[in-house]
Coordinates of all heavy atoms in Angstrom, one line a residue:
A80 N -57.6 46.6 -10.3 CA -59.0 47.1 -10.5 C -59.4 47.9 -9.3 O -59.3 47.4 -8.2 CB -59.9 46.0 -10.8
D81 N -60.0 49.0 -9.6 CA -60.5 49.9 -8.5 C -61.8 49.4 -8.0 O -62.8 49.2 -8.8 CB -60.6 51.3 -9.0 CG -61.0 52.3 -7.9 OD1 -60.8 51.9 -6.7 OD2 -61.5 53.4 -8.2
L82 N -61.9 49.1 -6.8 CA -63.2 48.5 -6.2 C -64.1 49.6 -5.7 O -63.6 50.4 -4.8 CB -62.8 47.5 -5.1 CG -62.0 46.3 -5.4 CD1 -61.6 45.5 -4.2 CD2 -62.7 45.5 -6.5
A83 N -65.3 49.7 -6.1 CA -66.3 50.6 -5.6 C -67.3 49.9 -4.7 O -68.4 49.7 -5.1 CB -67.0 51.3 -6.8
V84 N -66.8 49.5 -3.6 CA -67.7 48.7 -2.7 C -67.6 49.4 -1.3 O -66.8 50.2 -1.0 CB -67.2 47.2 -2.6 CG1 -67.4 46.5 -3.9 CG2 -65.8 47.1 -2.0
C85 N -68.5 48.9 -0.4 CA -68.5 49.3 1.0 C -68.2 48.1 1.8 O -68.9 47.1 1.7 CB -69.8 50.0 1.4 SG -69.8 50.5 3.1
V86 N -67.2 48.1 2.6 CA -66.8 47.0 3.5 C -67.1 47.4 4.9 O -66.7 48.5 5.3 CB -65.3 46.7 3.3 CG1 -64.9 45.6 4.2 CG2 -65.1 46.3 1.8
V87 N -67.7 46.5 5.7 CA -67.9 46.8 7.1 C -66.9 45.9 7.9 O -66.9 44.7 7.8 CB -69.4 46.5 7.5 CG1 -69.6 46.8 9.0 CG2 -70.4 47.2 6.6
L88 N -66.1 46.6 8.7 CA -65.1 46.0 9.4 C -65.3 46.2 10.9 O -65.5 47.3 11.4 CB -63.7 46.6 9.0 CG -62.5 46.1 9.8 CD1 -62.2 44.7 9.5 CD2 -61.3 47.0 9.4
G89 N -65.1 45.1 11.7 CA -65.1 45.2 13.1 C -63.7 45.1 13.7 O -62.9 44.4 13.1
S90 N -63.4 45.9 14.7 CA -62.1 45.9 15.2 C -62.1 46.0 16.8 O -62.8 46.8 17.3 CB -61.3 47.0 14.6 OG -60.0 47.1 15.2
I91 N -61.1 45.2 17.4 CA -60.9 45.4 18.8 C -60.2 46.7 19.0 O -59.5 47.2 18.1 CB -60.1 44.2 19.4 CG1 -58.8 44.0 18.7 CG2 -61.0 43.0 19.4 CD1 -58.0 42.9 19.3
P92 N -60.3 47.4 20.1 CA -59.7 48.7 20.3 C -58.2 48.8 20.1 O -57.7 49.8 19.5 CB -60.0 49.0 21.8 CG -61.3 48.3 22.1 CD -61.1 47.0 21.3
T93 N -57.4 47.8 20.5 CA -56.0 47.8 20.3 C -55.6 47.9 18.8 O -54.6 48.6 18.5 CB -55.3 46.6 20.9 OG1 -55.9 45.4 20.4 CG2 -55.4 46.7 22.4
A94 N -56.3 47.3 17.9 CA -56.0 47.4 16.5 C -56.4 48.7 15.9 O -55.8 49.2 14.9 CB -56.8 46.3 15.7
L95 N -57.3 49.4 16.5 CA -57.7 50.8 16.0 C -56.6 51.8 16.1 O -56.5 52.7 15.4 CB -59.0 51.3 16.8 CG -60.3 50.6 16.5 CD1 -61.4 51.1 17.4 CD2 -60.7 50.8 15.0
S96 N -55.7 51.6 17.1 CA -54.6 52.5 17.3 C -53.3 52.0 16.7 O -52.3 52.7 16.8 CB -54.4 52.9 18.7 OG -54.1 51.7 19.5
S97 N -53.3 50.8 16.1 CA -52.1 50.3 15.5 C -52.2 49.9 14.1 O -51.8 50.7 13.2 CB -51.6 49.1 16.4 OG -52.6 48.1 16.4
V98 N -52.8 48.8 13.7 CA -52.8 48.3 12.3 C -53.9 48.9 11.5 O -53.7 49.1 10.3 CB -52.9 46.8 12.3 CG1 -51.7 46.1 12.9 CG2 -54.2 46.3 12.9
I99 N -55.0 49.3 12.0 CA -56.1 49.8 11.2 C -55.8 51.1 10.5 O -56.0 51.2 9.2 CB -57.4 50.0 12.1 CG1 -57.9 48.6 12.6 CG2 -58.5 50.7 11.3 CD1 -58.5 47.7 11.5
P100 N -55.2 52.1 11.1 CA -54.9 53.3 10.3 C -54.0 53.1 9.1 O -54.3 53.6 8.0 CB -54.2 54.2 11.3 CG -54.8 53.8 12.7 CD -54.9 52.3 12.5
K101 N -53.0 52.3 9.3 CA -52.1 52.0 8.2 C -52.8 51.2 7.1 O -52.6 51.4 5.9 CB -50.8 51.2 8.7 CG -49.9 52.0 9.5 CD -48.8 51.2 10.1 CE -48.0 52.0 11.1 NZ -46.9 51.2 11.7
A102 N -53.6 50.2 7.5 CA -54.3 49.4 6.5 C -55.3 50.3 5.7 O -55.4 50.1 4.5 CB -55.0 48.3 7.2
L103 N -56.0 51.2 6.4 CA -57.0 52.1 5.7 C -56.3 53.0 4.7 O -56.8 53.2 3.6 CB -57.8 52.9 6.7 CG -58.8 52.0 7.5 CD1 -59.5 52.9 8.5 CD2 -59.8 51.3 6.7
L104 N -55.1 53.5 5.1 CA -54.3 54.3 4.1 C -53.9 53.5 2.9 O -54.0 54.0 1.8 CB -53.1 54.9 4.8 CG -53.3 56.1 5.8 CD1 -52.0 56.4 6.5 CD2 -53.9 57.3 5.1
A105 N -53.5 52.3 3.1 CA -53.1 51.5 2.0 C -54.3 51.1 1.1 O -54.2 51.2 -0.2 CB -52.4 50.2 2.5
L106 N -55.4 50.8 1.7 CA -56.6 50.6 0.9 C -57.1 51.8 0.1 O -57.5 51.7 -1.0 CB -57.8 50.1 1.9 CG -57.8 48.6 2.2 CD1 -58.9 48.4 3.3 CD2 -58.1 47.8 1.0
R107 N -57.0 52.9 0.8 CA -57.4 54.2 0.1 C -56.6 54.4 -1.1 O -57.0 54.9 -2.2 CB -57.4 55.3 1.1 CG -57.6 56.7 0.5 CD -59.0 57.0 0.1 NE -59.8 56.9 1.2 CZ -61.1 57.2 1.2 NH1 -61.7 57.5 0.0 NH2 -61.9 57.0 2.2
S108 N -55.3 54.2 -1.0 CA -54.3 54.4 -2.0 C -54.6 53.4 -3.2 O -54.6 53.8 -4.4 CB -52.9 54.1 -1.5 OG -52.0 54.9 -2.1
A109 N -54.8 52.1 -2.9 CA -55.1 51.1 -3.9 C -56.5 51.2 -4.5 O -56.7 50.9 -5.7 CB -54.8 49.7 -3.3
H110 N -57.5 51.6 -3.7 CA -58.9 51.6 -4.1 C -59.6 52.8 -3.6 O -60.3 52.8 -2.6 CB -59.6 50.3 -3.6 CG -58.9 49.0 -4.0 ND1 -58.9 48.5 -5.2 CD2 -58.1 48.2 -3.2 CE1 -58.2 47.4 -5.2 NE2 -57.7 47.2 -4.0
P111 N -59.4 54.0 -4.3 CA -59.9 55.2 -3.8 C -61.4 55.3 -3.7 O -62.0 56.0 -2.9 CB -59.4 56.3 -4.8 CG -58.6 55.5 -5.8 CD -58.6 54.1 -5.5
R112 N -62.1 54.4 -4.4 CA -63.6 54.4 -4.4 C -64.2 53.5 -3.3 O -65.4 53.5 -3.1 CB -64.2 54.1 -5.7 CG -63.8 55.2 -6.8 CD -64.6 55.1 -8.1 NE -64.4 53.8 -8.7 CZ -65.3 53.2 -9.5 NH1 -66.4 53.8 -9.8 NH2 -65.1 52.0 -10.0
M113 N -63.3 52.7 -2.7 CA -63.8 51.8 -1.6 C -64.1 52.6 -0.4 O -63.4 53.4 0.0 CB -62.7 50.7 -1.3 CG -63.1 49.8 -0.2 SD -61.8 48.6 0.3 CE -61.9 47.4 -1.0
Q114 N -65.2 52.2 0.2 CA -65.6 52.8 1.5 C -65.5 51.7 2.6 O -65.9 50.6 2.3 CB -67.1 53.3 1.4 CG -67.3 54.4 0.5 CD -68.7 54.9 0.5 OE1 -69.5 54.5 1.3 NE2 -69.1 55.7 -0.5
V115 N -64.9 52.1 3.7 CA -64.8 51.2 4.8 C -65.4 51.8 6.0 O -65.1 52.9 6.4 CB -63.3 50.9 5.1 CG1 -63.2 49.9 6.3 CG2 -62.6 50.3 3.9
R116 N -66.4 51.1 6.6 CA -67.0 51.5 7.9 C -66.4 50.6 8.9 O -66.4 49.4 8.9 CB -68.5 51.3 7.8 CG -69.2 52.2 6.9 CD -70.7 52.2 7.0 NE -71.2 50.9 7.4 CZ -72.4 50.5 7.3 NH1 -73.3 51.2 6.8 NH2 -72.8 49.3 7.8
V117 N -65.8 51.2 10.0 CA -65.2 50.5 11.0 C -66.0 50.6 12.3 O -66.4 51.7 12.7 CB -63.7 51.1 11.3 CG1 -63.0 50.3 12.4 CG2 -62.9 51.0 10.0
H118 N -66.3 49.5 12.9 CA -67.0 49.5 14.2 C -66.0 48.9 15.3 O -65.3 48.0 15.0 CB -68.2 48.5 14.1 CG -69.2 49.0 13.1 ND1 -70.1 49.9 13.4 CD2 -69.4 48.6 11.8 CE1 -70.9 50.2 12.4 NE2 -70.5 49.4 11.4
H119 N -66.0 49.5 16.4 CA -65.1 49.0 17.5 C -66.0 48.2 18.5 O -67.1 48.5 18.7 CB -64.3 50.1 18.2 CG -65.2 51.0 19.0 ND1 -66.0 52.0 18.4 CD2 -65.4 51.1 20.3 CE1 -66.6 52.6 19.4 NE2 -66.3 52.1 20.6
G120 N -65.3 47.2 19.1 CA -66.0 46.4 20.1 C -65.1 45.3 20.6 O -63.9 45.3 20.5
L121 N -65.8 44.2 21.1 CA -65.0 43.1 21.6 C -65.1 41.9 20.7 O -66.1 41.7 20.0 CB -65.6 42.8 23.0 CG -65.5 43.9 24.0 CD1 -66.2 43.5 25.3 CD2 -64.1 44.4 24.2
S122 N -64.1 41.0 20.8 CA -64.0 39.9 20.0 C -65.3 39.0 19.9 O -65.7 38.6 18.8 CB -62.8 39.0 20.4 OG -61.6 39.8 20.2
P123 N -65.8 38.6 21.0 CA -67.0 37.7 20.9 C -68.2 38.3 20.2 O -68.8 37.6 19.4 CB -67.4 37.4 22.4 CG -66.2 37.7 23.2 CD -65.5 38.8 22.4
T124 N -68.4 39.6 20.3 CA -69.5 40.2 19.6 C -69.2 40.2 18.1 O -70.1 39.8 17.3 CB -69.6 41.7 20.0 OG1 -69.8 41.7 21.4 CG2 -70.7 42.4 19.2
F125 N -68.0 40.4 17.7 CA -67.6 40.4 16.2 C -67.7 39.0 15.6 O -68.1 38.9 14.5 CB -66.3 41.1 16.0 CG -66.3 42.6 16.2 CD1 -65.3 43.2 16.9 CD2 -67.3 43.4 15.6 CE1 -65.4 44.6 17.1 CE2 -67.4 44.7 15.8 CZ -66.4 45.3 16.6
A126 N -67.3 38.0 16.4 CA -67.4 36.7 15.9 C -68.9 36.3 15.6 O -69.1 35.7 14.5 CB -66.9 35.7 17.0
E127 N -69.8 36.7 16.4 CA -71.2 36.5 16.1 C -71.7 37.3 14.9 O -72.4 36.8 14.1 CB -72.1 36.8 17.3 CG -72.0 35.7 18.4 CD -72.3 34.3 17.8 OE1 -73.4 34.1 17.2 OE2 -71.5 33.4 18.0
L128 N -71.3 38.6 14.8 CA -71.7 39.4 13.7 C -71.2 38.8 12.4 O -71.8 38.9 11.4 CB -71.2 40.8 13.9 CG -71.9 41.6 15.0 CD1 -71.2 43.0 15.2 CD2 -73.4 41.8 14.8
L129 N -69.9 38.3 12.4 CA -69.4 37.6 11.2 C -70.2 36.4 10.8 O -70.5 36.2 9.7 CB -67.9 37.2 11.5 CG -66.9 38.2 11.3 CD1 -65.5 37.7 11.9 CD2 -66.7 38.6 9.9
R130 N -70.5 35.6 11.8 CA -71.3 34.4 11.5 C -72.6 34.7 10.9 O -73.2 33.9 10.1 CB -71.4 33.6 12.8 CG -70.1 32.9 13.3 CD -70.3 32.0 14.4 NE -71.1 30.9 14.1 CZ -72.0 30.4 14.8 NH1 -72.3 30.9 16.0 NH2 -72.7 29.3 14.4
H131 N -73.2 35.8 11.3 CA -74.5 36.2 10.8 C -74.5 37.1 9.6 O -75.5 37.6 9.1 CB -75.4 36.8 11.9 CG -75.7 35.9 13.0 ND1 -75.1 35.8 14.2 CD2 -76.6 34.9 13.0 CE1 -75.6 34.9 14.9 NE2 -76.5 34.2 14.3
G132 N -73.3 37.4 9.1 CA -73.1 38.2 7.9 C -73.4 39.7 8.1 O -73.6 40.4 7.1
E133 N -73.4 40.2 9.3 CA -73.7 41.6 9.6 C -72.4 42.5 9.4 O -72.6 43.7 9.3 CB -74.2 41.7 11.0 CG -75.6 41.0 11.1 CD -76.2 41.1 12.5 OE1 -76.1 42.2 13.1 OE2 -76.7 40.1 13.0
I134 N -71.2 41.9 9.4 CA -70.0 42.6 9.1 C -69.2 41.7 8.1 O -69.5 40.5 8.0 CB -69.1 42.9 10.3 CG1 -68.7 41.6 11.1 CG2 -69.9 43.9 11.2 CD1 -67.8 41.9 12.2
D135 N -68.4 42.3 7.3 CA -67.6 41.6 6.3 C -66.3 40.9 6.8 O -65.9 39.9 6.3 CB -67.3 42.5 5.1 CG -68.5 43.1 4.5 OD1 -69.4 42.3 4.1 OD2 -68.7 44.3 4.4
A136 N -65.7 41.6 7.8 CA -64.4 41.1 8.3 C -64.2 41.7 9.7 O -64.9 42.7 10.0 CB -63.3 41.5 7.4
A137 N -63.3 41.1 10.5 CA -63.0 41.6 11.8 C -61.6 41.4 12.2 O -61.0 40.3 11.8 CB -64.0 41.1 12.8
I138 N -61.1 42.3 13.0 CA -59.8 42.0 13.6 C -60.1 41.8 15.1 O -60.6 42.7 15.8 CB -58.8 43.2 13.4 CG1 -58.5 43.4 11.9 CG2 -57.6 43.0 14.2 CD1 -57.7 44.6 11.6
I139 N -59.9 40.5 15.5 CA -60.3 40.1 16.8 C -59.1 39.3 17.5 O -58.2 39.0 16.8 CB -61.6 39.3 16.8 CG1 -61.3 38.0 16.1 CG2 -62.7 40.0 16.2 CD1 -62.5 37.0 16.1
S140 N -59.3 39.1 18.8 CA -58.3 38.2 19.5 C -58.6 36.8 19.0 O -59.7 36.5 18.6 CB -58.5 38.3 21.0 OG -58.3 39.6 21.4
E141 N -57.7 35.9 19.2 CA -57.8 34.5 18.8 C -59.0 33.9 19.5 O -59.1 34.0 20.7 CB -56.6 33.7 19.1 CG -56.7 32.3 18.6 CD -55.4 31.5 18.7 OE1 -54.4 32.1 19.2 OE2 -55.3 30.4 18.3
P142 N -59.9 33.3 18.7 CA -61.1 32.7 19.4 C -60.7 31.5 20.3 O -59.8 30.8 19.9 CB -62.0 32.2 18.2 CG -61.3 32.6 17.0 CD -60.0 33.2 17.3
R143 N -61.4 31.4 21.4 CA -61.2 30.2 22.3 C -61.7 28.9 21.7 O -61.3 27.9 22.0 CB -61.8 30.5 23.6 CG -61.1 31.6 24.3 CD -61.6 31.8 25.8 NE -60.7 32.8 26.4 CZ -61.2 33.8 27.1 NH1 -62.5 33.9 27.3 NH2 -60.4 34.7 27.7
A144 N -62.8 29.0 20.9 CA -63.4 27.9 20.3 C -63.5 28.1 18.8 O -63.5 29.2 18.4 CB -64.8 27.6 20.9
A145 N -63.6 27.0 18.1 CA -63.8 27.1 16.6 C -65.0 27.9 16.3 O -66.1 27.8 17.0 CB -63.9 25.7 16.0
L146 N -64.9 28.7 15.2 CA -66.1 29.5 14.7 C -66.6 28.9 13.5 O -65.9 29.0 12.4 CB -65.6 30.9 14.5 CG -65.1 31.7 15.7 CD1 -64.5 33.0 15.2 CD2 -66.1 31.9 16.7
P147 N -67.7 28.2 13.5 CA -68.2 27.5 12.3 C -68.5 28.6 11.2 O -69.0 29.7 11.5 CB -69.5 26.9 12.8 CG -69.5 27.0 14.3 CD -68.5 28.0 14.7
D148 N -68.2 28.3 10.0 CA -68.5 29.1 8.9 C -67.7 30.4 8.9 O -68.1 31.4 8.2 CB -70.0 29.5 8.8 CG -70.9 28.2 8.7 OD1 -70.5 27.3 8.1 OD2 -72.0 28.3 9.3
V149 N -66.6 30.5 9.6 CA -65.8 31.7 9.7 C -64.3 31.2 9.4 O -63.8 30.3 10.1 CB -65.9 32.4 11.0 CG1 -64.9 33.6 11.1 CG2 -67.3 33.0 11.2
Q150 N -63.7 31.9 8.5 CA -62.3 31.6 8.2 C -61.4 32.4 9.1 O -61.5 33.6 9.2 CB -61.9 31.9 6.7 CG -60.5 31.5 6.4 CD -60.2 31.8 5.0 OE1 -61.0 31.9 4.1 NE2 -58.9 31.9 4.7
W151 N -60.5 31.8 9.8 CA -59.6 32.5 10.8 C -58.2 32.5 10.2 O -57.6 31.5 9.8 CB -59.6 31.7 12.1 CG -58.6 32.1 13.1 CD1 -57.4 31.4 13.3 CD2 -58.5 33.2 13.9 NE1 -56.7 32.0 14.3 CE2 -57.3 33.1 14.6 CE3 -59.3 34.3 14.1 CZ2 -56.9 34.1 15.6 CZ3 -58.9 35.3 15.0 CH2 -57.8 35.2 15.7
E152 N -57.6 33.7 10.1 CA -56.2 33.9 9.7 C -55.5 34.7 10.6 O -55.7 35.9 10.7 CB -56.2 34.6 8.3 CG -56.6 33.7 7.1 CD -55.5 32.7 6.8 OE1 -54.3 32.9 7.1 OE2 -55.9 31.6 6.4
P153 N -54.5 34.2 11.4 CA -53.7 35.0 12.3 C -52.8 35.9 11.4 O -52.3 35.4 10.4 CB -52.9 34.0 13.1 CG -53.0 32.7 12.4 CD -54.2 32.8 11.5
F154 N -52.6 37.1 11.8 CA -51.7 38.0 11.1 C -50.7 38.8 12.0 O -49.8 39.4 11.5 CB -52.5 39.0 10.2 CG -53.1 40.1 10.9 CD1 -52.5 41.3 11.1 CD2 -54.4 40.0 11.5 CE1 -53.1 42.4 11.7 CE2 -55.0 41.0 12.1 CZ -54.3 42.2 12.3
A155 N -50.9 38.7 13.3 CA -49.9 39.4 14.2 C -50.0 38.7 15.5 O -50.9 38.1 15.9 CB -50.3 40.9 14.3
Q156 N -48.9 39.0 16.3 CA -48.9 38.5 17.7 C -48.6 39.7 18.5 O -47.8 40.6 18.2 CB -47.7 37.5 17.9 CG -48.0 36.2 17.3 CD -46.9 35.2 17.6 OE1 -45.8 35.6 18.0 NE2 -47.2 33.9 17.4
A157 N -49.4 39.9 19.6 CA -49.3 41.0 20.5 C -48.7 40.5 21.8 O -49.1 39.4 22.4 CB -50.6 41.6 20.8
P158 N -47.7 41.2 22.4 CA -47.1 40.7 23.6 C -48.1 41.0 24.8 O -48.9 41.9 24.7 CB -45.9 41.6 23.8 CG -46.2 42.8 23.0 CD -47.0 42.4 21.9
G159 N -48.0 40.1 25.8 CA -48.9 40.3 27.0 C -48.1 40.9 28.1 O -46.9 40.8 28.2
L160 N -48.7 41.6 28.9 CA -48.1 42.3 30.0 C -49.1 42.3 31.2 O -50.2 42.6 31.1 CB -47.8 43.8 29.7 CG -47.1 44.6 30.7 CD1 -45.8 44.1 31.1 CD2 -47.0 46.0 30.2
V161 N -48.6 41.9 32.4 CA -49.4 41.9 33.6 C -48.8 42.9 34.5 O -47.6 42.9 34.8 CB -49.4 40.5 34.3 CG1 -50.1 40.5 35.6 CG2 -49.9 39.4 33.4
I162 N -49.7 43.8 35.0 CA -49.3 44.8 36.0 C -50.1 44.5 37.3 O -51.3 44.4 37.2 CB -49.7 46.2 35.5 CG1 -48.9 46.5 34.2 CG2 -49.3 47.2 36.6 CD1 -49.3 47.8 33.5
A163 N -49.4 44.3 38.4 CA -50.0 43.9 39.6 C -49.3 44.7 40.8 O -48.2 45.1 40.7 CB -50.0 42.4 39.8
Q164 N -50.1 44.8 41.8 CA -49.5 45.4 43.0 C -48.5 44.5 43.7 O -48.7 43.3 43.7 CB -50.7 45.7 44.0 CG -50.5 46.9 44.8 CD -51.7 47.2 45.6 OE1 -52.7 46.4 45.7 NE2 -51.8 48.4 46.2
R165 N -47.4 45.0 44.2 CA -46.4 44.2 44.8 C -47.0 43.8 46.2 O -47.6 44.6 46.9 CB -45.2 45.1 45.0 CG -43.9 44.3 45.2 CD -42.8 45.3 45.4 NE -42.3 45.6 44.0 CZ -41.1 46.1 43.8 NH1 -40.3 46.4 44.8 NH2 -40.7 46.3 42.6
E166 N -46.7 42.6 46.6 CA -47.2 42.1 47.9 C -46.5 42.9 49.0 O -45.3 43.3 48.9 CB -46.9 40.6 48.1 CG -47.7 39.7 47.3 CD -47.5 38.3 47.6 OE1 -47.6 37.9 48.8 OE2 -47.2 37.5 46.6
A167 N -47.3 43.3 50.1 CA -46.7 44.0 51.2 C -46.0 43.2 52.2 O -46.1 42.0 52.3 CB -47.9 44.7 51.9

């Protein structure tokens, strides 16, 4: 069924350049009348916006503490990298 809704999505910057474009293309293909508004920002902000119903979903880093009234589903793992100056 074609969904004619508007979804508000929050996303951390790293997802905006990786998973979000592909996901939006797939959504557009499956549901051409769906509108998606994407907001960029940081994970703690989106966690609060989710809890207060101001956004519908978010792609955030794993929360450090449980988020009451929010369902958490991991879907990817990102490798970590530390860049530091070599000791003199």
Side-chain angles (χ1 to χ4, degrees):
D81 186 18
L82 302 175
V84 298
C85 180
V86 176
V87 181
L88 175 68
S90 176
I91 56 175
T93 52
L95 289 173
S96 61
S97 58
V98 296
I99 294 292
K101 291 176 186 175
L103 291 178
L104 284 173
L106 273 173
R107 172 72 60 180
S108 215
H110 305 287
R112 297 189 306 152
M113 178 184 280
Q114 295 180 11
V115 180
R116 292 189 333 196
V117 180
H118 298 277
H119 69 283
L121 302 176
S122 296
T124 302
F125 290 132
E127 283 305 307
L128 291 173
L129 277 168
R130 290 186 64 223
H131 293 102
E133 296 178 41
I134 61 176
D135 299 305
I138 296 178
I139 63 174
S140 301
E141 184 173 0
R143 291 187 175 132
L146 301 173
D148 304 323
V149 173
Q150 181 179 342
W151 166 258
E152 281 293 327
F154 74 94
Q156 289 184 341
L160 178 64
V161 176
I162 300 174
Q164 215 172 9
R165 203 179 272 197
E166 288 187 52

